[in-house]
Amino acid sequence: GDSSMVLQAQEEMTELKDVFSVKLKRRRFVGQKKGGILLGITIFKCINKGENKLTDCAIHLNNLSEDHCHLWFRQLKEILNGFQDRPKSLKVFVNPSSHKREATHIYYEQVAPLFKLADIKTDVTVTEYEGHALSVLKECELQAFDGVVCVGGDGSVSEVAHGLLLKAQIDAGKDTEYIRAPVRAPIPLGVIPAGTSNILAHTLYGIKHAVTAALHIVMGHIQPVDVCTFSTPSKLLRFGFSAMFGFGARTLALAEKHRWMPSNQRKDFAFIKTLAELKPEECELSFLPLQVPQEDSQENDRKKKEKIRKKGSKDQWQKIQGHFLNVSIMAIPCLCSMAPRGLAPNTRLNNGSMALIVVQNTSRTDFIKHLKRYTSVRNQFNFPFVETYTVQEVKVQPRLKSGLDDKDSTYLNAASAEGNYPWNIDGDLMEEASEVHICVHPQLINLYGVNTDDLESFQATCSCI
């Protein structure tokens, strides 16, 4: 070329595990959809921009030879098809009512183009009512898909996860009324955050970012995750990852009664009003502490957990009874913008245990101090009225208060409509009057994402309390 121009050639290496698509690059005239002058090939890869955020990047390799380009194209496609965990067909559920009703826009503007670029076929269902995804999954032929994706908030994701696991029990010929030993979900679940809290997305990706979530799915990043069953003595209520009884559930129940308000206002209103009317729940908690195995170190983790479960006896159960402001049972850390360390920082995605966090009756001032600790790096459990346990089973038995004055009786009756007590399960409201039995099942489902321990730390952005 021109000797007056000095081209600084910089060598760059791209690992094929970071590449998710390859396309032939052509120059076309306006309106031309096929053919065109071949310019080379374009490789699309996933890059980490820091702070847990992923994005896509295009590398253009110029070559005017049809033979050379088609040779490279075929070889690269063959290599990419060899990554077994990468999905080629997905069942997608979009909840158009989530948060600010932006889920449909997020999916079609930010996520669908990446799926198309990666040559992933999709079957999309835009849900029309609560329980729609569950009813579709019950009739769905899951073997036709490599994964299921939910675009919505925590409640939507919880419904899809429950439906996916329920379908697995149906296909395995299990009784779905009461399930003691559930079978694993046959395909992974992907989460595209489009809700208010997006706890599951934060826990899997460390960030609320639709493109990051989509790229984890495209790249086939698989993470086994523990799941809980929530049951009464006679029936299965649902599958889930976390639950709150008391303050966390009362707040959600009040927010659900004010659905006409904008989501953020509704959330803040419910939080402040429930805090102003702070009342303890009287209940009995029975729990089976996690037994740490002392032998058989060569066994894999899952076999260990199953062995522990079989060894559990009635003598190992512990009971505490009293007045509690909040009870949390969580099988995952539950990271979110308000709690950068997680609502349950002492548990992990797949360690076969649950965190039981009990906040005993205390003053409103002390309770607020406890809540404010979640937004910082300080230990939110370092209070005399907060107790934490690592457990594998929990039973919660609400007790009707005796000797109440008229004011407290009115509060109890209004709060517990028809004798039912509210539960917050993964952001979904459930009302149940009888004893609820929660049991953790190790690595029951695969989610698209990464291990929480591998994520970079991220800062809290919420200062509402």
Side-chain angles (χ1 to χ4, degrees):
D2 189 347
S3 60
S4 64
M5 292 182 64
V6 179
L7 299 175
Q8 296 292 333
Q10 183 177 353
E11 188 177 280
E12 183 181 338
M13 183 183 74
T14 294
E15 294 195 38
L16 284 169
K17 68 179 180 63
D18 297 328
V19 175
F20 66 88
S21 181
V22 57
K23 302 289 182 184
L24 291 169
K25 182 182 177 184
R26 296 182 184 274
R27 179 186 290 131
R28 289 173 179 159
F29 299 108
V30 178
Q32 185 180 2
K33 294 185 178 179
K34 292 186 177 181
I37 301 171
L38 184 67
L39 301 177
I41 64 172
T42 302
I43 294 172
F44 297 90
K45 73 172 190 174
C46 173
I47 59 172
N48 191 331
K49 295 186 71 175
E51 297 183 349
N52 305 313
K53 185 178 287 187
L54 303 182
T55 189
D56 58 304
C57 169
I59 300 172
H60 302 289
L61 303 178
N62 300 324
N63 192 316
L64 303 181
S65 166
E66 289 270 358
D67 290 341
H68 286 170
C69 288
H70 280 285
L71 178 63
W72 274 70
F73 178 78
R74 286 194 303 271
Q75 292 285 345
L76 286 171
K77 285 288 285 186
E78 187 176 333
I79 292 170
L80 296 183
N81 288 336
F83 292 109
Q84 297 298 319
D85 289 333
R86 296 190 182 180
K88 296 175 178 62
S89 178
L90 293 170
K91 176 63 188 173
V92 180
F93 292 96
V94 180
N95 180 2
S97 302
S98 289
H99 191 38
K100 298 178 181 177
R101 302 183 181 276
E102 56 191 7
T104 308
H105 172 78
I106 286 173
Y107 176 72
Y108 285 108
E109 296 294 324
Q110 301 180 47
V111 178
L114 285 171
F115 287 170
K116 184 178 180 181
L117 194 60
D119 297 321
I120 298 174
K121 295 178 182 177
T122 55
D123 180 13
V124 181
T125 297
V126 179
T127 57
E128 299 173 3
Y129 52 88
E130 187 177 345
H132 188 182
L134 178 60
S135 62
V136 171
L137 278 167
K138 282 184 178 179
E139 305 298 326
C140 188
E141 296 296 331
L142 292 178
Q143 59 267 29
F145 303 102
D146 299 313
V148 175
V149 173
C150 178
V151 187
D154 289 322
S156 306
V157 175
S158 181
E159 180 186 328
V160 172
H162 174 68
L164 188 58
L165 284 162
L166 205 59
K167 174 64 173 173
Q169 313 314 309
I170 293 169
D171 290 347
K174 293 226 171 195
D175 177 17
T176 56
E177 282 297 307
Y178 188 81
I179 303 171
R180 181 63 182 167
V183 298
R184 295 188 85 238
I187 54 178
L189 170 62
V191 181
I192 305 293
T196 306
S197 301
N198 302 290
I199 283 175
L200 202 56
H202 271 297
T203 304
L204 290 167
Y205 316 129
I207 192 173
K208 179 193 173 182
H209 189 237
V211 170
T212 295
L215 284 170
H216 277 294
I217 296 168
V218 166
M219 301 301 291
H221 296 158
I222 299 291
Q223 184 62 47
V225 177
D226 299 340
V227 181
C228 304
T229 47
F230 297 86
S231 312
T232 66
S234 59
K235 67 173 182 176
L236 171 75
L237 297 173
R238 68 181 300 157
F239 292 95
F241 302 97
S242 64
M244 284 188 280
F245 177 79
F247 178 79
R250 296 262 180 238
T251 302
L252 178 63
L254 188 59
E256 288 297 311
K257 290 179 181 177
H258 294 78
R259 296 287 301 181
W260 52 270
M261 297 175 69
S263 58
N264 284 338
Q265 291 181 23
R266 179 173 72 239
K267 183 180 174 184
D268 292 344
F269 165 78
F271 179 86
I272 293 167
K273 187 170 174 59
T274 309
L275 198 57
E277 298 177 351
L278 189 65
K279 296 279 185 178
E281 308 284 0
E282 184 178 357
C283 63
E284 180 181 277
L285 302 176
S286 307
F287 58 91
L288 186 62
L290 182 71
Q291 305 298 311
V292 180
Q294 301 295 325
E295 55 185 357
D296 299 328
S297 58
Q298 299 301 314
E299 289 184 282
N300 65 45
D301 287 343
R302 191 166 179 184
K303 285 183 179 177
K304 280 183 183 179
K305 300 299 185 304
E306 291 302 321
K307 188 169 183 179
I308 295 167
R309 199 172 307 287
K310 289 173 185 175
K311 286 165 63 179
S313 67
K314 292 182 179 179
D315 297 332
Q316 295 171 315
W317 281 85
Q318 297 183 20
K319 286 186 180 181
I320 53 176
Q321 186 172 341
H323 295 79
F324 308 115
L325 291 177
N326 194 68
V327 177
S328 300
I329 304 112
M330 298 178 172
I332 62 175
C334 294
L335 276 65
C336 64
S337 59
M338 192 192 81
R341 294 175 60 245
L343 298 175
N346 297 331
T347 192
R348 294 292 176 266
L349 284 171
N350 54 16
N351 63 353
S353 70
M354 299 179 291
L356 171 61
I357 304 161
V358 180
V359 182
Q360 296 182 356
N361 192 18
T362 186
S363 68
R364 185 181 291 105
T365 302
D366 283 344
F367 186 63
I368 291 173
K369 286 180 182 177
H370 162 66
L371 294 179
K372 289 184 75 171
R373 287 276 185 95
Y374 279 99
T375 66
S376 69
V377 294
R378 298 177 68 190
N379 185 353
Q380 64 264 43
F381 309 129
N382 191 21
F383 292 97
F385 54 86
V386 180
E387 298 175 10
T388 62
Y389 306 90
T390 302
V391 300
Q392 59 194 55
E393 290 186 56
V394 180
K395 293 177 182 177
V396 180
Q397 176 66 66
R399 299 212 175 276
L400 215 60
K401 300 176 186 177
S402 57
L404 293 171
D405 58 34
D406 292 340
K407 183 180 177 182
D408 283 344
S409 296
T410 303
Y411 167 81
L412 183 66
N413 291 334
S416 306
E418 299 179 0
N420 289 349
Y421 289 82
W423 279 80
N424 180 343
I425 299 181
D426 297 329
D428 253 357
L429 180 65
M430 183 188 75
E431 292 190 317
E432 187 56 47
S434 60
E435 174 186 293
V436 176
H437 181 194
I438 303 103
C439 184
V440 68
H441 303 278
Q443 302 180 25
L444 195 62
I445 193 171
N446 281 340
L447 299 181
Y448 289 108
V450 291
N451 195 305
T452 315
D453 297 336
D454 299 332
L455 296 175
E456 303 171 20
S457 62
F458 65 101
Q459 299 300 315
T461 58
C462 176
S463 58
C464 62
I465 54 171

